[in-house]
Amino acid sequence: MKANVVVFGSLRNRLGIILTGGAALLAILLFFVVRGYAAQIAQEGQDNILGASVSSILDATVLREGTIELDFPYASLSMLSTSADDRVFYAIYEDGALLSGYDGLDVELPVSVGEAVFTSTQYDNATIRVASASRTLIGIDTPRQVSVSVAQTQDALAETLNRISRNVAVFGTGFFALATALAFWATSATIGQLSRLTTSVTRRGPQDLSPFLKPVPTEMVPLVGSLNTLMSRLDQSLKQSEDFIAEAAHRVRTPLATVRSYAEATFQRVETQENRDALRSMMRAIDESSRAAGQLLDHAMVTFRAENLEREDVEFDGLLRDLVQRMTPVADMRDVTINLESTAPAIIRGDPVLLQNAFRNLIDNALKYAPVDTSITIRVQTNPSISVDVLDQGPGFLVNEMDMLAGRFVRGGDTQGHIGSGLGLTIVQDVAMAHDGTMVLSNRSEGGACVTLQF
């Protein structure tokens, strides 16, 4: 039964959201940073051309006989031509009075002579970029200050920025997609370590409490260390419990055997029927207690050896034949015949002591419930896999109890009058699981029970 676990979100989803969210923020930041830097570079390029145009016009101005003359250079405006056919405006001022150019072109005059000033403003329903510079001309009478402003619309600049923005958007989208893919890969790789640890724990048998020795990332060392410590404590507790049960069973079984012998000797000497019935009930109770103690010892031994299997080649035919020979006298006392059917050698790598213990429990169970003058059949099969069936002609299993009968100290509802401890099928199932096998309970169509061990 699975323990109740309180789930609080998903570590995989949380990592994915953090990483993809970070990638999205980086992509947006990258877009604005690159676009802003591109706008700055493009604006500086336009300003350099505007400044060169203003300088070329100022260089062409001269003062002759108190009059400013200007041989307007054609190249000063032609250098401003763009693919978007931006409009160009200019204005030339003498001591603040317009000499030539566009009237109403309001500009910010330079603070110091020879230094160009760049401003953006609105003119003729368009955004323009204006470069202004001034120069002082020295004449015979008084000095004259000449200021030149050259302006240009920014259609080409806007078109360039839009193109750059589209390219950066495409690049940012690709960056986000790549970062998202890397985020999912990194998340899967990180969670994969936990998944492998989970799989390793899940695949372990119920008796496997050995420590985890495989390499793990640094961040998982405390978790694995805690698991190893917990399993070490559990292993120690289980061993102490099994040792206690084995010791207790051993100490109980020895005096029970002594009491049984005294009770049997007394039974032979007592003549009163009432006393004989009481002694008969006492011997039955002693037998049940002695069997329970023996089964507890067997279970403790199986639990211990299952963790440290001494594997060797076990040939089922020889092992079962020897077991049948030793249990035949008990079967003869109950007028039951034991038959062994084996058509081909069946060999597995296993612990012969555990396997013999399991089959002895199965045969013993079958003998308890087999009617007089019936037979028990042990059938060894190798196709499609190695399996051993133990069949009897008794009452069979109650259908609604089959799933529970392998539990510890669980006995069926039809076991009244039969000595038992409820550990026989538990031992058989533990032995099967220790050998990577399974135990299957079923009823025969012609009547009787069938227990199958599949390997």
Side-chain angles (χ1 to χ4, degrees):
M1 183 177 64
K2 294 184 178 180
N4 293 327
V5 178
V6 179
V7 179
F8 182 69
S10 168
L11 185 59
R12 183 191 298 272
N13 293 340
R14 191 175 304 173
L15 283 174
I17 290 173
I18 292 174
L19 293 176
T20 54
L25 290 176
L26 285 176
I28 295 173
L29 181 63
L30 178 67
F31 173 80
F32 285 107
V33 169
V34 173
R35 189 182 186 281
Y37 184 70
Q40 180 182 350
I41 297 299
Q43 190 68 74
E44 288 178 358
Q46 186 185 35
D47 289 348
N48 290 335
I49 298 175
L50 286 172
S53 176
V54 170
S55 297
S56 65
I57 295 174
L58 284 175
D59 290 341
T61 58
V62 293
L63 181 62
R64 290 182 182 152
E65 298 178 356
T67 303
I68 293 178
E69 295 181 359
L70 174 61
D71 185 9
F72 202 95
Y74 173 76
S76 63
L77 297 182
S78 64
M79 69 175 64
L80 297 173
S81 62
T82 62
S83 59
D85 294 330
D86 280 316
R87 290 180 292 165
V88 178
F89 309 94
Y90 75 95
I92 302 173
Y93 300 89
E94 179 185 356
D95 294 332
L98 180 65
L99 290 179
S100 177
Y102 290 84
D103 189 16
L105 185 64
D106 297 329
V107 296
E108 180 182 352
L109 295 177
V111 176
S112 59
V113 176
E115 180 182 354
V117 175
F118 301 94
T119 59
S120 296
T121 186
Q122 293 289 323
Y123 184 77
D124 195 17
N125 297 323
T127 300
I128 60 173
R129 183 70 170 175
V130 184
S132 302
S134 64
R135 180 174 296 176
T136 302
L137 301 178
I138 306 300
I140 297 175
D141 46 1
T142 58
R144 307 287 180 85
Q145 185 177 12
V146 179
S147 298
V148 177
S149 296
V150 178
Q152 183 183 27
T153 58
Q154 296 187 297
D155 295 338
L157 180 64
E159 184 178 315
T160 300
L161 290 179
N162 289 334
R163 185 170 63 253
I164 292 175
S165 297
R166 287 193 297 270
N167 292 336
V168 173
V170 172
F171 176 77
T173 303
F175 170 79
F176 174 73
L178 179 61
T180 300
L182 289 176
F184 277 105
W185 174 81
T187 301
S188 298
T190 303
I191 300 301
Q193 299 289 342
L194 290 174
S195 299
R196 281 190 284 273
L197 178 62
T198 302
T199 302
S200 178
V201 174
T202 304
R203 288 181 177 176
R204 290 189 170 211
Q207 306 297 336
D208 187 0
L209 296 175
S210 59
F212 293 95
L213 301 178
K214 293 184 179 180
V216 294
T218 304
E219 293 76 10
M220 292 178 59
V221 170
L223 173 62
V224 175
S226 299
L227 282 175
N228 287 341
T229 302
L230 175 61
M231 288 189 293
S232 176
R233 292 175 179 174
L234 287 175
D235 187 38
Q236 184 177 4
S237 297
L238 287 175
K239 286 181 178 179
Q240 289 177 348
S241 298
E242 296 295 341
D243 291 343
F244 173 78
I245 292 174
E247 181 66 20
H250 179 72
R251 290 183 178 275
V252 168
R253 190 167 58 174
T254 300
L256 283 176
T258 303
V259 174
R260 176 69 165 77
S261 63
Y262 281 120
E264 188 171 358
T266 304
F267 179 80
Q268 300 297 329
R269 295 195 299 269
V270 172
E271 297 181 356
T272 307
Q273 185 62 38
E274 183 179 356
N275 292 336
R276 292 177 66 88
D277 292 341
L279 286 172
R280 190 178 289 110
S281 298
M282 180 186 296
M283 288 188 291
R284 180 181 179 82
I286 292 172
D287 290 340
E288 289 183 353
S289 300
S290 180
R291 179 178 178 81
Q295 293 284 57
L296 285 172
L297 279 174
D298 288 344
H299 185 265
M301 183 268 293
V302 168
T303 302
F304 174 76
R305 290 183 68 100
E307 297 178 1
N308 307 277
L309 285 183
E310 299 179 4
R311 293 184 181 270
E312 60 182 76
D313 289 338
V314 179
E315 203 276 309
F316 278 161
D317 186 71
L319 184 145
L320 290 171
R321 198 173 299 280
D322 178 69
L323 193 57
V324 168
Q325 183 177 2
R326 282 189 290 167
M327 299 193 73
T328 295
V330 179
D332 290 341
M333 292 175 60
R334 302 180 181 181
D335 294 328
V336 176
T337 304
I338 303 178
N339 300 318
L340 176 62
E341 299 178 0
S342 178
T343 57
I347 301 175
I348 69 166
R349 293 285 296 177
D351 189 317
V353 175
L354 291 187
L355 291 170
Q356 186 181 73
N357 193 302
F359 291 128
R360 185 179 69 250
N361 274 279
L362 288 180
I363 297 173
D364 187 51
N365 274 352
L367 284 172
K368 282 196 302 182
Y369 298 103
V372 177
D373 293 329
T374 60
S375 63
I376 296 172
T377 302
I378 305 172
R379 184 180 301 146
V380 182
Q381 302 181 80
T382 58
N383 188 23
S385 61
I386 295 178
S387 64
V388 178
D389 299 327
V390 178
L391 309 98
D392 63 45
Q393 298 176 0
F397 300 112
L398 296 179
V399 177
N400 60 340
E401 295 180 346
M402 285 188 186
D403 295 335
M404 303 181 296
L405 291 178
R408 289 185 179 184
F409 306 108
V410 176
R411 302 192 68 196
D414 57 348
T415 58
Q416 298 296 328
H418 298 282
I419 297 174
S421 62
L423 284 174
L425 292 179
T426 305
I427 293 172
V428 175
Q429 178 167 267
D430 288 347
V431 172
M433 292 177 63
H435 291 81
D436 299 322
T438 57
M439 180 184 73
V440 180
L441 306 182
S442 60
N443 288 320
R444 305 173 63 187
S445 57
E446 61 270 30
C450 174
V451 181
T452 302
L453 293 189
Q454 298 175 340
F455 299 95

